[in-house]
Amino acid sequence: MIRLRRSGSVSAGPGQPPRDDPAERLAWRRLTARHGDRLGEIMDEYGWPTAARVGEEAARAAWLIAQHADRQLDIQRRALRLLAEAVAAGAAGPRELAFLRDRTLVNQGDKQVYGTQIAGIEDGAPMPWPCEESERVDELRAAVGIEPFQEYVARFAPGGR
């Protein structure tokens, strides 16, 4: 059986790096690198850790690790390829694949597809990184089970849910 364990986090929130403390930011980078390295070992040996193989919680953890392996683009690209295979086989969901695809595209300097990656806040409004087909974002999002862009970014706005 494959296991991914949850470890203590120095983050400001679930899956979020600390913002102000340089020591915590460094600890976050080290932690995400260790997790990325371990995910790479797991992918080498077993492929993508699907829920059927490792359980829902560990499969979610694997996705989160891949999603936050921003300084390990090789890990993200491999995870993207293996997750796409798992989705095609019906062993994983297209929503997670969409988020990982966008994150990987942005990290390699390309335009995203689904508008899941927010570049920052401008005049109080969340602004996505550039999208390939911004006019079709909501249609593409709906196809993979992601809420419309305006609902999604409402969470990032000051006072958002």
Side-chain angles (χ1 to χ4, degrees):
M1 181 161 130
I2 306 167
R3 289 185 183 252
L4 286 175
R5 292 180 312 189
R6 196 182 319 170
S7 70
S9 176
V10 296
S11 69
Q16 297 300 316
R19 296 187 182 180
D20 297 326
D21 186 331
E24 285 187 10
R25 291 176 62 89
L26 180 58
W28 170 259
R29 286 184 182 182
R30 287 179 179 150
L31 179 67
T32 57
R34 279 196 316 270
H35 287 176
D37 291 346
R38 180 63 184 128
L39 179 59
E41 292 169 358
I42 290 168
M43 291 187 301
D44 287 345
E45 190 166 346
Y46 302 101
W48 184 253
T50 63
R53 182 176 283 157
V54 300
E56 291 289 333
E57 186 177 347
R60 173 94 174 139
W63 174 77
L64 283 169
I65 290 166
Q67 187 76 358
H68 291 103
D70 296 327
R71 289 179 169 74
Q72 294 172 294
L73 196 50
D74 59 322
I75 296 291
Q76 274 189 337
R77 287 179 178 141
R78 190 161 22 128
L80 181 63
R81 181 178 50 79
L82 292 173
L83 181 55
E85 291 172 6
V87 169
R95 184 179 196 279
E96 288 76 19
L97 179 61
F99 274 84
L100 185 57
R101 177 169 287 133
D102 275 0
R103 185 77 166 236
T104 305
L105 286 168
V106 166
N107 283 336
Q108 62 191 26
D110 295 326
K111 291 181 178 180
Q112 61 180 324
V113 176
Y114 302 96
T116 65
Q117 302 302 298
I118 304 301
I121 307 291
E122 187 175 299
D123 296 325
M127 302 299 296
W129 288 98
C131 297
E132 289 177 2
E133 300 179 80
S134 56
E135 70 282 353
R136 292 188 59 222
V137 163
D138 281 340
E139 173 189 340
L140 295 168
R141 292 168 73 89
V144 295
I146 303 173
E147 69 267 49
F149 182 77
Q150 290 305 319
E151 287 179 31
Y152 175 69
V153 297
R155 289 188 263 157
F156 297 94
R161 48 186 164 125

